[in-house]
Each structure stands twice: as C-alpha cells, then as structure tokens.
Amino acid sequence: MTEADLSRRGFLATGAAAALATTACVQTTTTWKPAAPEVLVRRQGTVCLVGSQNTKKRALELAYELHGKGTPLLDAIVKGINTVEDDPSDHSVGLGGIPNEDGVVELDASVMDGRTGLSGAVASIQDIKNPASVALLVMRYTDHCLLVGPGAKQFAKHHGFKEENLLTDDAREAWLHWKATLSDKDDRFPKETALLPKDVKAWFGITGTVNCCGLDKDGHLSGCTSTSGLAFKIPGRVGDSPIIGAGLYVDDDAGAAGSTGRGEANIITLGSGMVVEAMRRGAHPTDAAKEALERVVRFTKMKHLQRADGKPDFQLKFYAIDKKGRTGSFGMFAGEQYAMCDEHGTRLVDCPGLFGG
Ligand code: ASP
C-alpha cells in the first residue's frame, strides 16, 4: 500500500513501528512439547516469514529478498506465492490446480495487511492464474473485501490480467479418471493405468493451498493465502482461503495466521482469527495453532467427518507468526512440514500434530 493509498483511506500513520522484542525461535518436532523458554534474541528490524510446505524455499526466499530490496512485505509475499501459482506441478493452486466437478479450475485467494487493517480476496475466479495478485488489487483499489466469480474475473481483466486455460493435461486426465471411476452405473470407462499421469489416484480428495505470513522490517505483519480448493468440488464452492478470519487473519497488534486443509472445518471455527486471538493473549504461535485445532475437533461431531476411531478424517494446519516474530505451525495430524525464513535462512521444520501421522 502506497502512502497515497493510505491517505485515500484516511489512514493515519501512528508514529514509529513498535520495537521488536526478544523472541524465541522454537524448533518444533512431530512430538509436540509446550513452547520452550525464549532462547533466541531477534534483532530489531529482522524480517521473518512462515508458510506452508509447498511455498518451498523459493517463495519465501523471494519474498525475503524482494522485501530486503525495498518491496513492501505483502507485495513481496504475493510475488512469492505467484511462483507457486505459476507452477503447473503444484496441483493445489493456480495453473495446474485440480478442477471442480465440471473440469473447470476455480481459484480462491486472500491478502491482509496489518499496517492498514485492510484485506482483499477473490473466490471462484476462473481463467486467471494469479488470484493472490488480484486479491491484492481488490484490497488496494476497491473499498470491498471480496469479489467472486465472473465479477472477480472481470475486475482482474480490467487490471490487465490475461485469461488463460488453467487446466493442464495432467489435471484434466485426473479429472476424467475421477469421473470415470465415480460410478459403474454410467457410460464412462476409466483408462488403463499406463495411460494416466503418475499417482493420479493420490490426487483424489487432494487438499492443498499455499499460505505465507510475515513480519516486515518495520514490525508490521501481513499474509496471503491462495488455493484451487478441494479437488472436484461442486462448482461455486468457496473454501476458507478467501474468508478473512478463516483462511487468513492479520492483526498488527497480535499476530498473523493462515491455513491449509479442510476449509469447511476452518470456516465453522474461525480458525485463523482464533489463532491470532490466542497470540494476543500471549500464546506462542505453535500453542495458538494447537488451541484452534482443538476447537476444530470439538466441532467435528458428525460421523461422516470422523474416522472409525472417532478422530477427524481430514487434515487442517495453521501457520502463525506473532508480533515478536516468533513462528509456529500445528496440524490436525503430524507428519508434514512447514516453511520459515529469517536471517538464518529458509528451512522446512517438522510440524507437530494433535494426532500421529
Ligand atoms: N483450504 C482449502 C480449501 O478448503 C483446501 C486445502 O487447503 O486443501 O479450499
């Protein structure tokens, strides 16, 4: 957000950024322990990012590098997220995302800026591969929080985005296979395994999203979440990613959080908002994320959402950073990783879970 944008919205800058306090860089493991005593003093002005595993090193590194060269952190995060949206081999977001049940790729994304308290989002947008960038423009050039479907696409085109077919051959074959194996009462026959993309069945029920939140050199927080949503979803289904308070929430006074996994469970429990509220009370980001997941378990009462042992039958993960630059993540199930980046470099860290992997 430029200064001109700020004045357009009547935003009054409130003096110097809060000094960054000492902070702990808690190295989490899949066997979760309460947050360790603070061990690492983070220098004032240190930039720190946390994100989903599929941000890979490049997305976080790019955001870190661009911010170091003067790009506002939210813009830099969106550029990092764009690298994942542009990657056809990531089937959870952007180009190559797994389509809806009609074979159409529909994308959701959101951004939020702690400095201004503003957010922007798009949902069910088609043919535009970088919904995160469109969400940023919604925040910056409209007085709205969320544009959906054809309106979101038209808005993107007005801002110069090109329409393109986001359904890659691999994703189309996976969708065809899904249709052909849904029922033996229709007229479609599945192709032989040798003709299918590798591991195509692993894409069924696929969950995945890309999220990144960060603390900038002036102590402001921001975040972005982008996704193609659940594989083979009902057309028009919107997940948690573009819902502020669910798939993303940022409060400069407390922290920032985002999520990947079953969006419906997150929307119902206001997940990212809850993580931020726990950090406001002083909880470490890891503990805050764990608390939000315990709430999700409490809300998972229906049998069709439970495994035989009564545990939720879905994954949901939160990624969080607080105003001190402490980062953390927690999953419903352990066994995955999250990414973080700071002055010590970019790394993947084991993500603890409420339940074993
Ligand atoms: N959270 C995304 C959604 O529900 C999907 C995912 O992360 O797997 O749309």
Side-chain angles (χ1 to χ4, degrees):
M1 163 110 355
T2 63
E3 292 309 320
D5 296 327
L6 291 173
S7 58
R8 177 164 85 84
R9 293 176 186 281
F11 177 85
L12 292 174
T14 50
L20 292 182
T22 58
T23 190
C25 179
V26 176
Q27 198 67 359
T28 55
T29 65
T30 46
T31 322
W32 176 81
K33 297 196 275 324
E38 309 212 331
V39 290
L40 188 143
V41 178
R42 204 178 281 292
R43 281 195 328 273
Q44 181 170 351
T46 296
V47 177
C48 189
L49 296 154
V50 65
S52 51
Q53 182 173 343
N54 63 341
T55 50
K56 301 198 184 91
K57 285 192 153 193
R58 186 63 196 139
L60 265 66
E61 269 165 17
L62 180 64
Y64 192 87
E65 184 188 315
L66 290 173
H67 183 54
K69 290 181 182 157
T71 305
L73 187 60
L74 179 54
D75 296 63
I77 287 174
V78 168
K79 287 267 183 259
I81 296 278
N82 288 162
T83 65
V84 188
E85 293 173 333
D86 291 347
D87 177 0
S89 70
D90 189 313
H91 298 294
S92 67
V93 56
L95 177 68
I98 295 288
N100 67 19
E101 67 178 24
D102 289 344
V104 177
V105 179
E106 288 184 327
L107 306 175
D108 302 335
S110 62
V111 297
M112 191 160 178
D113 181 3
R115 188 164 72 109
T116 59
L118 295 176
S119 71
V122 291
S124 285
I125 188 170
Q126 298 179 5
D127 306 321
I128 304 289
K129 78 173 171 180
N130 295 127
S133 299
V134 186
L136 188 61
L137 293 175
V138 171
M139 184 189 87
R140 201 154 278 167
Y141 297 112
T142 78
D143 197 29
H144 304 319
C145 290
L146 175 62
L147 298 181
V148 304
K153 177 170 160 180
Q154 188 183 47
F155 173 81
K157 286 172 67 182
H158 287 166
H159 281 272
F161 286 76
K162 301 263 173 308
E163 273 186 79
E164 57 191 297
N165 179 16
L166 305 179
L167 187 65
T168 58
D169 285 346
D170 274 6
R172 183 178 45 72
E173 288 291 356
W175 166 71
L176 269 180
H177 190 66
W178 173 78
K179 275 182 93 70
T181 50
L182 266 183
S183 162
D184 57 8
K185 295 193 176 61
D186 62 30
D187 298 330
R188 290 179 187 268
F189 305 126
K191 286 184 181 169
E192 305 81 69
T193 310
L195 297 175
L196 295 172
K198 206 163 157 278
D199 297 334
V200 73
K201 282 206 176 130
W203 301 4
F204 287 22
I206 195 173
T207 59
T209 291
V210 60
N211 165 260
C212 180
C213 293
L215 179 73
D216 76 10
K217 58 183 168 41
D218 298 320
H220 296 295
L221 291 155
S222 55
C224 174
T225 304
S226 180
T227 191
S228 53
L230 297 182
F232 317 124
K233 61 193 175 187
I234 296 173
R237 177 263 185 190
V238 173
D240 55 332
S241 305
I243 307 294
I244 294 300
L248 182 69
Y249 199 66
V250 178
D251 182 334
D252 240 14
D253 294 339
S259 66
T260 61
R262 187 182 140 78
E264 282 73 5
N266 194 17
I267 292 171
I268 285 166
T269 55
L270 306 173
S272 294
M274 288 292 152
V275 176
V276 170
E277 289 314 303
M279 290 191 284
R280 191 191 310 282
R281 296 195 313 265
H284 186 279
T286 308
D287 301 326
K290 178 173 179 278
E291 195 178 309
L293 283 158
E294 286 165 347
R295 181 180 166 99
V296 172
V297 173
R298 265 199 310 115
F299 273 68
T300 307
K301 301 172 194 213
M302 301 299 287
K303 285 276 172 257
H304 73 279
L305 296 172
Q306 296 174 354
R307 308 190 314 194
D309 62 4
K311 292 172 184 160
D313 76 344
F314 53 85
Q315 178 63 298
L316 179 63
K317 289 168 68 181
F318 292 105
Y319 314 89
I321 179 167
D322 70 8
K323 62 182 179 178
K324 298 176 182 173
R326 301 184 301 180
T327 59
S329 175
F330 217 94
M332 184 67 75
F333 293 96
E336 296 177 33
Q337 294 187 303
Y338 70 99
M340 63 166 297
C341 177
D342 60 11
E343 73 273 34
H344 304 294
T346 312
R347 53 217 177 267
L348 289 174
V349 182
D350 288 340
C351 181
L354 287 184
F355 309 112

mmCIF file of all heavy atoms in Angstrom, residues 12 21 23 30 53 73-74 86 102 119-120 124 155 158 173 178 208 236 257 301 318 321 324 343 349 354 357:
data_model
loop_
_atom_site.group_PDB
_atom_site.id
_atom_site.type_symbol
_atom_site.label_atom_id
_atom_site.label_comp_id
_atom_site.label_asym_id
_atom_site.label_seq_id
_atom_site.Cartn_x
_atom_site.Cartn_y
_atom_site.Cartn_z
ATOM 1 N N LEU A 12 -4.252 7.088 9.323
ATOM 2 C CA LEU A 12 -3.240 7.931 9.951
ATOM 3 C C LEU A 12 -2.124 7.052 10.468
ATOM 4 O O LEU A 12 -2.339 6.191 11.300
ATOM 5 C CB LEU A 12 -3.865 8.710 11.115
ATOM 6 C CG LEU A 12 -4.892 9.764 10.708
ATOM 7 C CD1 LEU A 12 -5.532 10.342 11.950
ATOM 8 C CD2 LEU A 12 -4.245 10.855 9.888
ATOM 9 N N ALA A 21 10.567 -7.165 20.034
ATOM 10 C CA ALA A 21 11.049 -7.659 21.316
ATOM 11 C C ALA A 21 11.918 -8.894 21.124
ATOM 12 O O ALA A 21 12.079 -9.402 20.021
ATOM 13 C CB ALA A 21 9.854 -8.000 22.198
ATOM 14 N N THR A 23 12.760 -12.727 21.158
ATOM 15 C CA THR A 23 11.835 -13.733 20.682
ATOM 16 C C THR A 23 12.442 -15.128 20.713
ATOM 17 O O THR A 23 13.646 -15.282 20.706
ATOM 18 C CB THR A 23 11.374 -13.395 19.248
ATOM 19 O OG1 THR A 23 10.322 -14.248 18.923
ATOM 20 C CG2 THR A 23 12.508 -13.547 18.256
ATOM 21 N N THR A 30 7.710 -33.374 15.531
ATOM 22 C CA THR A 30 6.403 -34.007 15.417
ATOM 23 C C THR A 30 5.896 -34.432 16.792
ATOM 24 O O THR A 30 4.718 -34.637 16.992
ATOM 25 C CB THR A 30 6.466 -35.220 14.472
ATOM 26 O OG1 THR A 30 7.603 -35.971 14.818
ATOM 27 C CG2 THR A 30 6.530 -34.796 13.047
ATOM 28 N N GLN A 53 4.280 -25.857 3.520
ATOM 29 C CA GLN A 53 5.422 -26.601 2.974
ATOM 30 C C GLN A 53 5.620 -26.315 1.489
ATOM 31 O O GLN A 53 6.738 -26.205 1.000
ATOM 32 C CB GLN A 53 5.191 -28.100 3.199
ATOM 33 C CG GLN A 53 6.316 -28.981 2.716
ATOM 34 C CD GLN A 53 6.112 -30.431 3.111
ATOM 35 O OE1 GLN A 53 5.323 -30.747 3.985
ATOM 36 N NE2 GLN A 53 6.819 -31.314 2.457
ATOM 37 N N LEU A 73 6.389 -5.763 2.319
ATOM 38 C CA LEU A 73 6.413 -7.210 2.543
ATOM 39 C C LEU A 73 5.202 -7.912 1.934
ATOM 40 O O LEU A 73 5.342 -8.998 1.366
ATOM 41 C CB LEU A 73 6.526 -7.550 4.038
ATOM 42 C CG LEU A 73 6.723 -9.052 4.303
ATOM 43 C CD1 LEU A 73 8.000 -9.589 3.659
ATOM 44 C CD2 LEU A 73 6.724 -9.357 5.788
ATOM 45 N N LEU A 74 4.002 -7.309 2.027
ATOM 46 C CA LEU A 74 2.836 -8.006 1.475
ATOM 47 C C LEU A 74 2.994 -8.210 -0.033
ATOM 48 O O LEU A 74 2.710 -9.292 -0.559
ATOM 49 C CB LEU A 74 1.535 -7.259 1.793
ATOM 50 C CG LEU A 74 0.263 -7.909 1.240
ATOM 51 C CD1 LEU A 74 0.136 -9.370 1.669
ATOM 52 C CD2 LEU A 74 -0.976 -7.131 1.663
ATOM 53 N N ASP A 86 2.155 -20.220 -10.385
ATOM 54 C CA ASP A 86 2.636 -20.389 -11.769
ATOM 55 C C ASP A 86 3.168 -21.793 -12.044
ATOM 56 O O ASP A 86 3.441 -22.127 -13.199
ATOM 57 C CB ASP A 86 3.788 -19.402 -12.054
ATOM 58 C CG ASP A 86 3.319 -17.953 -12.102
ATOM 59 O OD1 ASP A 86 2.095 -17.729 -12.165
ATOM 60 O OD2 ASP A 86 4.187 -17.061 -12.063
ATOM 61 N N ASP A 102 -16.909 -30.105 -12.800
ATOM 62 C CA ASP A 102 -17.153 -29.890 -14.234
ATOM 63 C C ASP A 102 -15.855 -29.785 -15.027
ATOM 64 O O ASP A 102 -15.873 -29.456 -16.220
ATOM 65 C CB ASP A 102 -17.956 -28.600 -14.448
ATOM 66 C CG ASP A 102 -19.395 -28.747 -13.991
ATOM 67 O OD1 ASP A 102 -19.840 -29.892 -13.797
ATOM 68 O OD2 ASP A 102 -20.062 -27.702 -13.827
ATOM 69 N N SER A 119 -8.090 -5.795 3.968
ATOM 70 C CA SER A 119 -7.942 -7.102 3.324
ATOM 71 C C SER A 119 -8.548 -7.049 1.938
ATOM 72 O O SER A 119 -9.330 -6.145 1.610
ATOM 73 C CB SER A 119 -8.662 -8.180 4.149
ATOM 74 O OG SER A 119 -10.065 -8.010 4.036
ATOM 75 N N GLY A 120 -8.204 -8.041 1.121
ATOM 76 C CA GLY A 120 -8.814 -8.194 -0.204
ATOM 77 C C GLY A 120 -8.860 -9.677 -0.526
ATOM 78 O O GLY A 120 -7.998 -10.438 -0.075
ATOM 79 N N SER A 124 -13.779 -18.291 -6.338
ATOM 80 C CA SER A 124 -14.339 -18.928 -7.544
ATOM 81 C C SER A 124 -13.960 -18.177 -8.812
ATOM 82 O O SER A 124 -14.758 -18.092 -9.739
ATOM 83 C CB SER A 124 -15.870 -19.013 -7.466
ATOM 84 O OG SER A 124 -16.252 -20.004 -6.585
ATOM 85 N N PHE A 155 -12.949 -7.907 -12.995
ATOM 86 C CA PHE A 155 -12.091 -6.952 -12.280
ATOM 87 C C PHE A 155 -10.613 -7.211 -12.636
ATOM 88 O O PHE A 155 -9.848 -6.286 -12.911
ATOM 89 C CB PHE A 155 -12.328 -7.102 -10.772
ATOM 90 C CG PHE A 155 -11.400 -6.293 -9.914
ATOM 91 C CD1 PHE A 155 -11.629 -4.938 -9.690
ATOM 92 C CD2 PHE A 155 -10.287 -6.886 -9.328
ATOM 93 C CE1 PHE A 155 -10.757 -4.194 -8.892
ATOM 94 C CE2 PHE A 155 -9.419 -6.147 -8.531
ATOM 95 C CZ PHE A 155 -9.657 -4.796 -8.316
ATOM 96 N N HIS A 158 -9.887 -6.038 -16.110
ATOM 97 C CA HIS A 158 -9.784 -4.570 -16.136
ATOM 98 C C HIS A 158 -8.388 -4.111 -15.704
ATOM 99 O O HIS A 158 -7.904 -3.068 -16.124
ATOM 100 C CB HIS A 158 -10.816 -3.932 -15.195
ATOM 101 C CG HIS A 158 -12.216 -4.011 -15.714
ATOM 102 N ND1 HIS A 158 -13.325 -3.771 -14.922
ATOM 103 C CD2 HIS A 158 -12.696 -4.329 -16.938
ATOM 104 C CE1 HIS A 158 -14.419 -3.918 -15.645
ATOM 105 N NE2 HIS A 158 -14.068 -4.256 -16.868
ATOM 106 N N GLU A 173 -6.589 -35.183 -17.049
ATOM 107 C CA GLU A 173 -6.635 -36.650 -17.006
ATOM 108 C C GLU A 173 -7.098 -37.135 -15.620
ATOM 109 O O GLU A 173 -7.838 -38.098 -15.506
ATOM 110 C CB GLU A 173 -5.254 -37.245 -17.322
ATOM 111 C CG GLU A 173 -4.843 -37.124 -18.777
ATOM 112 C CD GLU A 173 -5.662 -38.010 -19.715
ATOM 113 O OE1 GLU A 173 -6.516 -38.781 -19.250
ATOM 114 O OE2 GLU A 173 -5.449 -37.893 -20.935
ATOM 115 N N TRP A 178 -11.356 -39.451 -12.377
ATOM 116 C CA TRP A 178 -12.287 -39.321 -11.243
ATOM 117 C C TRP A 178 -13.723 -39.538 -11.725
ATOM 118 O O TRP A 178 -14.490 -40.293 -11.129
ATOM 119 C CB TRP A 178 -12.116 -37.925 -10.617
ATOM 120 C CG TRP A 178 -13.123 -37.597 -9.564
ATOM 121 C CD1 TRP A 178 -13.140 -38.030 -8.272
ATOM 122 C CD2 TRP A 178 -14.277 -36.758 -9.720
ATOM 123 N NE1 TRP A 178 -14.222 -37.513 -7.608
ATOM 124 C CE2 TRP A 178 -14.938 -36.723 -8.470
ATOM 125 C CE3 TRP A 178 -14.816 -36.027 -10.785
ATOM 126 C CZ2 TRP A 178 -16.108 -35.990 -8.256
ATOM 127 C CZ3 TRP A 178 -15.979 -35.296 -10.571
ATOM 128 C CH2 TRP A 178 -16.615 -35.288 -9.317
ATOM 129 N N GLY A 208 -4.809 -28.956 -0.418
ATOM 130 C CA GLY A 208 -3.579 -28.198 -0.591
ATOM 131 C C GLY A 208 -3.894 -26.769 -0.905
ATOM 132 O O GLY A 208 -4.918 -26.462 -1.514
ATOM 133 N N GLY A 236 -18.697 -23.517 -7.738
ATOM 134 C CA GLY A 236 -19.173 -22.419 -6.883
ATOM 135 C C GLY A 236 -18.794 -22.589 -5.425
ATOM 136 O O GLY A 236 -18.928 -21.644 -4.639
ATOM 137 N N ALA A 257 -1.978 -15.303 10.926
ATOM 138 C CA ALA A 257 -2.125 -16.753 10.795
ATOM 139 C C ALA A 257 -2.837 -17.089 9.497
ATOM 140 O O ALA A 257 -3.666 -16.315 9.002
ATOM 141 C CB ALA A 257 -2.906 -17.322 11.976
ATOM 142 N N LYS A 301 -18.451 -33.205 15.094
ATOM 143 C CA LYS A 301 -19.348 -34.112 15.800
ATOM 144 C C LYS A 301 -19.999 -35.125 14.872
ATOM 145 O O LYS A 301 -20.505 -36.144 15.318
ATOM 146 C CB LYS A 301 -20.464 -33.304 16.483
ATOM 147 C CG LYS A 301 -19.912 -32.277 17.474
ATOM 148 C CD LYS A 301 -21.014 -31.373 17.993
ATOM 149 C CE LYS A 301 -20.395 -30.178 18.670
ATOM 150 N NZ LYS A 301 -21.075 -29.629 19.774
ATOM 151 N N PHE A 318 -2.422 -24.907 10.649
ATOM 152 C CA PHE A 318 -2.290 -23.448 10.773
ATOM 153 C C PHE A 318 -0.812 -23.082 10.788
ATOM 154 O O PHE A 318 0.026 -23.837 11.313
ATOM 155 C CB PHE A 318 -2.948 -22.950 12.060
ATOM 156 C CG PHE A 318 -4.439 -23.090 12.042
ATOM 157 C CD1 PHE A 318 -5.077 -24.085 12.774
ATOM 158 C CD2 PHE A 318 -5.217 -22.243 11.264
ATOM 159 C CE1 PHE A 318 -6.457 -24.234 12.739
ATOM 160 C CE2 PHE A 318 -6.599 -22.383 11.218
ATOM 161 C CZ PHE A 318 -7.213 -23.377 11.959
ATOM 162 N N ILE A 321 2.570 -16.440 13.012
ATOM 163 C CA ILE A 321 3.709 -15.612 13.419
ATOM 164 C C ILE A 321 3.160 -14.529 14.333
ATOM 165 O O ILE A 321 2.086 -13.980 14.066
ATOM 166 C CB ILE A 321 4.439 -15.024 12.184
ATOM 167 C CG1 ILE A 321 5.614 -14.142 12.605
ATOM 168 C CG2 ILE A 321 3.499 -14.252 11.269
ATOM 169 C CD1 ILE A 321 6.551 -13.799 11.431
ATOM 170 N N LYS A 324 6.214 -10.499 17.772
ATOM 171 C CA LYS A 324 7.642 -10.552 18.129
ATOM 172 C C LYS A 324 8.463 -11.286 17.074
ATOM 173 O O LYS A 324 9.675 -11.381 17.185
ATOM 174 C CB LYS A 324 7.814 -11.294 19.458
ATOM 175 C CG LYS A 324 7.148 -10.651 20.648
ATOM 176 C CD LYS A 324 7.334 -11.570 21.856
ATOM 177 C CE LYS A 324 6.657 -11.019 23.094
ATOM 178 N NZ LYS A 324 6.707 -12.004 24.191
ATOM 179 N N GLU A 343 16.698 -14.344 9.278
ATOM 180 C CA GLU A 343 18.091 -14.001 9.000
ATOM 181 C C GLU A 343 18.999 -15.229 8.988
ATOM 182 O O GLU A 343 20.141 -15.160 8.537
ATOM 183 C CB GLU A 343 18.601 -12.954 10.000
ATOM 184 C CG GLU A 343 18.873 -13.448 11.422
ATOM 185 C CD GLU A 343 17.654 -13.415 12.331
ATOM 186 O OE1 GLU A 343 16.521 -13.650 11.858
ATOM 187 O OE2 GLU A 343 17.844 -13.155 13.542
ATOM 188 N N VAL A 349 10.534 -27.154 8.606
ATOM 189 C CA VAL A 349 10.542 -27.596 10.002
ATOM 190 C C VAL A 349 9.410 -28.609 10.182
ATOM 191 O O VAL A 349 8.317 -28.423 9.613
ATOM 192 C CB VAL A 349 10.296 -26.384 10.949
ATOM 193 C CG1 VAL A 349 10.346 -26.806 12.402
ATOM 194 C CG2 VAL A 349 11.313 -25.281 10.677
ATOM 195 N N LEU A 354 -2.022 -32.781 16.457
ATOM 196 C CA LEU A 354 -2.808 -33.272 17.586
ATOM 197 C C LEU A 354 -2.759 -34.792 17.640
ATOM 198 O O LEU A 354 -2.764 -35.381 18.715
ATOM 199 C CB LEU A 354 -4.268 -32.841 17.441
ATOM 200 C CG LEU A 354 -4.636 -31.387 17.685
ATOM 201 C CD1 LEU A 354 -6.147 -31.223 17.572
ATOM 202 C CD2 LEU A 354 -4.146 -30.911 19.035
ATOM 203 N N GLY A 357 0.733 -39.147 12.599
ATOM 204 C CA GLY A 357 0.576 -39.019 11.153
ATOM 205 C C GLY A 357 -0.157 -40.180 10.523
ATOM 206 O O GLY A 357 -0.506 -41.138 11.158
#
